[in-house]
Amino acid sequence: MAPISIKTVLISESVDPRCKALLEANGIRVTEKQNMKKDELMAEIKDYDGLVVRSATKVTADIIDAASNLKIIGRAGTGVDNVDVDAATKKGIIVMNTPSGNSISAAELTCALLMSLSRNVPQAVISMREGKWDRKKFMGAELYGKVLGIVGLGRIGKEVATRMQSFGMRTIGYDPITPPEVSASWGVEQMDLERLWPQCDYITVHTPLLPSTVGLLNDESFAKCKKGVKVVNCARGGIIDEAALLRALESGQCGGAGLDVFVEEPPQDRSLVNHPNVISCPHLGASTKEAQARCGEDIALQMVDMVKGKKLIGAVNAQVLASTFSQDCHQMIKLGEAVGAVLHSCNTLKKPISQVQITTQGDCMKSSSGYMAASVMIGLLNHESGLGPNLVNVLSLAEASGVAVTHTHCPSGDPAGGVCRAQITASGCSYIASGSLQGGVPVLLELCDSVFRQPVPLAGNLLFFKASANPQLLSSVAGRLATEGVEIESYSAPGDRSGDLWYCVGVSSLLRDPGALLPLVKEAAQLSI
Ligand code: 9EZ
């Protein structure tokens, strides 16, 4: 299920023409407009539901804030370095990339740099251009029989390994996620980095850029390497610490480096690029016809699959939303929203909510654990001005406003009934609502201490009030409602009638001010679903 509608997409740079063609073939209007200045893009973006970029468009917070209709940003390529993902998430905009389209191209460039490093091909080319014939200076070494350390064994690391094995290299590696028996099946023996460094003649890195991978190769790790080790980075600038690399090149601890990526691109400091033992490229890993075609096609297909509610691939900020794609959960989400909306209405003084505890019960609720808390929060926050919560942003909005949200699931014996129960704590006050689905319609079973005699359908205009049972209660409330021009359409009372309890009436229209009932009842709340 996906209630996301994408009718118009802006492609703001040169993306393979198949992207536009595929989107249009699926009924989406596409505009291609390249080389826009920031101001132009900020003005243009207002009109679109979707944006497709490659690397040149910097999708900053200003641009995202100017995008009043935007629902998705798709990057045709690996990573989302040029997109402010946090700003997009806050606005509930999905950010997507094409994580696999570049893998072969990135692996091939890595192999090209490994081969170039072993035979000094680029340096020899420069020397020939200078009119020289220097056969002594460029004495190389075979790759055959040498050890290649591959740090990061995802798709790209694997493709590098299998290719370099055909040159007779021994491939060893490390990855915290890929199991050793899996990498062993493609010929890579895994070991921890402490054991890996001293064995390598060559090292290549293929990790994402994370706090744990920044400076993975630094002064300390270079010191553990064989003298003259050659290194390649076709992944992300900074995985090999640039200052440490320069020192290792100067001392000869590092015998050569192949760099396609830099901390700053283009690098302002040219000391690495100009070093005689460094061969470098201007971030060309994905720069092939095939990779661009694949990424352009992939991003269009992923967007189309999402709009059709088929699957959600490549999204980097939509965990909760993704959990709604594998099942029909439309009604479950409606239930969560309705329970949240009831609690929102009961918090009449709009005290700040500090805690929301959600409990689901019953086997049929088990699969809702990915999105039920978010659904309840949408119902709770929906009516606050300006928040516009959805499944992409609601949990981060809750966190940002200091609301602690928890969800627990209790499997229960009754396979038919599933219950969603939520409790809010607001400045010491607490409200609990529990609901269920009956014939696909959300119904309220309990509100605080009231267990309704009949489940209350959560639809239309509802008025809740808290009062102690007395024979005049209904007639006095009905009288006041009549004065306000409001008709009663249904009446739900709790089964047990002791103490102050909540009642619910379905009404023809909402009261201008539910406080009009306050002389007759202890608390009054209303909502429209
Ligand atoms: C970290 C990694 C690989 C790595 C790879 C991925 C989250 N993560 N971390 C250190 N996907 C090698 C060394």
Side-chain angles (χ1 to χ4, degrees):
M1 77 130 283
I4 298 149
S5 153
I6 307 290
K7 294 200 167 65
T8 57
V9 165
L10 173 65
I11 302 178
S12 65
E13 47 191 301
S14 159
V15 174
D16 189 273
R18 301 194 59 164
C19 180
K20 181 171 191 274
L22 275 161
L23 292 171
E24 284 176 343
N26 285 278
I28 296 170
R29 284 200 303 282
V30 179
T31 306
E32 279 185 296
K33 208 162 176 182
Q34 295 178 26
N35 306 316
M36 273 183 286
K37 301 247 164 50
K38 185 177 174 175
D39 292 352
E40 295 175 89
L41 178 56
M42 277 175 72
E44 184 78 18
I45 196 70
K46 285 189 174 47
D47 302 334
Y48 298 92
D49 301 319
L51 172 67
V52 172
V53 301
R54 219 169 74 180
S55 312
T57 311
K58 305 300 170 210
V59 191
T60 55
D62 317 357
I63 288 165
I64 288 165
D65 287 336
S68 32
N69 285 315
L70 201 61
K71 294 162 192 79
I72 182 158
I73 300 166
R75 157 143 153 82
T78 305
V80 285
D81 303 10
N82 51 321
V83 179
D84 187 334
V85 178
D86 285 340
T89 306
K90 282 203 189 92
K91 279 200 73 177
I93 300 168
I94 299 161
V95 179
M96 209 179 238
N97 72 355
T98 57
S100 62
N102 294 327
S103 302
I104 300 290
S105 291
E108 287 185 4
L109 181 66
T110 304
C111 297
L113 292 183
L114 287 166
M115 285 180 246
S116 300
L117 281 173
S118 73
R119 302 301 288 269
N120 306 302
V121 177
Q123 294 92 333
V125 169
I126 295 170
S127 143
M128 288 290 281
R129 289 259 164 78
E130 289 169 346
K132 297 180 193 163
W133 184 263
D134 204 339
R135 304 191 62 243
K136 288 203 190 75
K137 192 171 173 189
F138 300 122
M139 179 67 73
E142 288 180 348
L143 292 175
Y144 180 81
K146 300 297 192 301
V147 175
L148 172 61
I150 305 171
V151 181
L153 296 167
R155 281 179 292 263
I156 300 171
K158 174 189 174 182
E159 299 300 335
V160 170
T162 53
R163 280 159 184 70
M164 297 320 291
Q165 284 156 15
S166 68
F167 277 73
M169 295 193 91
R170 181 161 96 86
T171 49
I172 62 177
Y174 170 77
D175 191 282
I177 294 162
T178 305
E181 53 284 11
V182 170
S183 65
S185 77
W186 18 274
V188 179
E189 184 194 340
Q190 274 201 62
M191 58 195 68
D192 56 41
L193 292 171
E194 298 304 299
R195 287 188 53 222
L196 178 129
W197 303 129
Q199 297 186 56
C200 299
D201 300 298
Y202 291 81
I203 294 167
T204 181
V205 294
H206 300 285
T207 70
L209 187 66
L210 301 168
S212 61
T213 63
V214 171
L216 205 57
L217 259 105
N218 55 19
D219 290 309
E220 225 179 306
S221 35
F222 270 120
K224 292 170 184 156
C225 291
K226 274 192 191 175
K227 189 170 173 65
V229 66
K230 294 183 174 177
V231 298
V232 170
N233 185 0
C234 286
R236 285 286 182 258
I239 300 170
I240 302 179
D241 183 89
E242 292 180 346
L245 174 59
L246 191 60
R247 287 188 284 272
L249 285 159
E250 289 300 322
S251 71
Q253 180 64 14
C254 176
L259 301 175
D260 188 43
V261 291
F262 300 86
V263 171
E264 186 185 9
E265 294 184 358
Q268 199 78 314
D269 180 348
R270 308 300 285 189
S271 44
L272 278 172
V273 170
N274 292 337
H275 193 282
N277 293 342
V278 171
I279 56 176
S280 64
C281 297
H283 204 145
L284 298 180
S287 298
T288 64
K289 278 262 162 299
E290 294 84 356
Q292 290 310 310
R294 241 181 255 122
C295 291
E297 182 174 346
D298 285 354
I299 201 67
L301 291 173
Q302 288 169 199
M303 280 189 176
V304 166
D305 279 350
M306 185 201 71
V307 172
K308 288 185 177 168
K310 273 196 194 164
K311 51 191 164 195
L312 188 58
I313 294 180
V316 300
N317 66 340
Q319 274 275 112
V320 172
L321 183 66
S323 77
T324 67
F325 272 70
S326 52
Q327 44 181 314
D328 179 16
C329 43
H330 181 71
Q331 292 166 348
M332 291 284 200
I333 291 173
K334 289 288 163 228
L335 169 60
E337 289 181 3
V339 168
V342 168
L343 291 173
H344 173 266
S345 75
C346 289
N347 183 21
T348 46
L349 300 175
K350 301 299 163 241
K351 291 178 179 166
I353 298 169
S354 55
Q355 212 180 43
V356 181
Q357 291 164 289
I358 292 135
T359 317
T360 47
Q361 285 168 0
D363 291 345
C364 63
M365 289 275 170
K366 194 175 175 201
S367 55
S368 72
S369 60
Y371 58 81
M372 190 52 91
S375 304
V376 171
M377 291 312 295
I378 290 174
L380 257 172
L381 301 181
N382 216 350
H383 307 276
E384 317 268 330
S385 59
L387 286 174
N390 64 18
L391 291 173
V392 174
N393 62 3
V394 74
L395 293 182
S396 55
L397 287 173
E399 191 185 336
S401 39
V403 185
V405 182
T406 59
H407 175 222
T408 20
H409 177 72
C410 318
S412 82
D414 182 3
V419 174
C420 170
R421 179 181 177 279
Q423 172 165 18
I424 63 169
T425 309
S427 304
C429 293
S430 165
Y431 296 92
I432 305 176
S434 58
S436 186
L437 286 171
Q438 272 190 4
V441 178
V443 291
L444 186 66
L445 303 173
E446 297 179 35
L447 183 55
C448 301
D449 293 323
S450 293
V451 181
F452 293 103
R453 242 193 269 236
Q454 298 291 330
V456 184
L458 291 170
N461 302 315
L462 300 172
L463 186 64
F464 295 99
F465 57 84
K466 189 164 106 172
S468 57
N470 72 73
Q472 279 76 51
L473 181 61
L474 180 58
S475 64
S476 67
V477 168
R480 177 53 60 92
L481 290 177
T483 317
E484 302 285 329
V486 172
E487 279 175 56
I488 290 183
E489 294 176 346
S490 65
Y491 176 68
S492 303
D496 175 14
R497 304 282 200 104
S498 56
D500 289 336
L501 289 167
W502 285 89
Y503 294 74
C504 177
V505 288
V507 286
S508 57
S509 61
L510 295 185
L511 285 164
R512 275 185 303 279
D513 172 19
L517 290 181
L518 278 188
L520 310 171
V521 302
K522 302 250 164 60
E523 287 183 58
Q526 62 179 356
L527 82 158
S528 188
I529 296 182

